[in-house]
Amino acid sequence: MLGATAAKAILSTPLSLEKLRGKWHEYNNINLKIPIKVLASYHPEFLINLPNYKKEAWSDLQMLQKKLNAN
């Protein structure tokens, strides 16, 4: 999920994006039999306005790629 608003809504948490990113979380829903693994990262517009965070976003994308290649 991309952006603080999406992360807080999906994970039902008040934590900031800085505390949520960089690790895997589980999205649970009563309609799901098993939780879905999700990764929080910066929204593209945020990265356009503050490009110094691109290195962290790249790290998040590498985590995602590693997970996809493992499955």
Side-chain angles (χ1 to χ4, degrees), residues 4-66:
T5 303
K8 288 178 181 183
I10 290 172
L11 297 174
S12 299
T13 182
L15 294 176
S16 67
L17 186 60
E18 288 76 26
K19 293 189 187 242
L20 294 171
R21 61 160 299 279
K23 55 189 164 223
W24 289 97
H25 302 275
E26 290 189 348
Y27 169 68
N28 293 296
N29 185 298
I30 59 171
N31 297 321
L32 299 173
K33 294 184 183 207
I34 59 171
I36 297 172
K37 298 266 187 195
V38 295
L39 184 65
S41 190
Y42 298 109
H43 191 279
E45 185 177 358
F46 177 83
L47 296 172
I48 290 170
N49 294 325
L50 297 165
N52 55 320
Y53 286 91
K54 286 183 181 181
K55 184 176 181 179
E56 293 175 25
W58 181 248
S59 175
D60 294 339
L61 290 174
Q62 289 176 317
M63 282 181 63
L64 177 60
Q65 182 180 25
K66 185 176 179 181

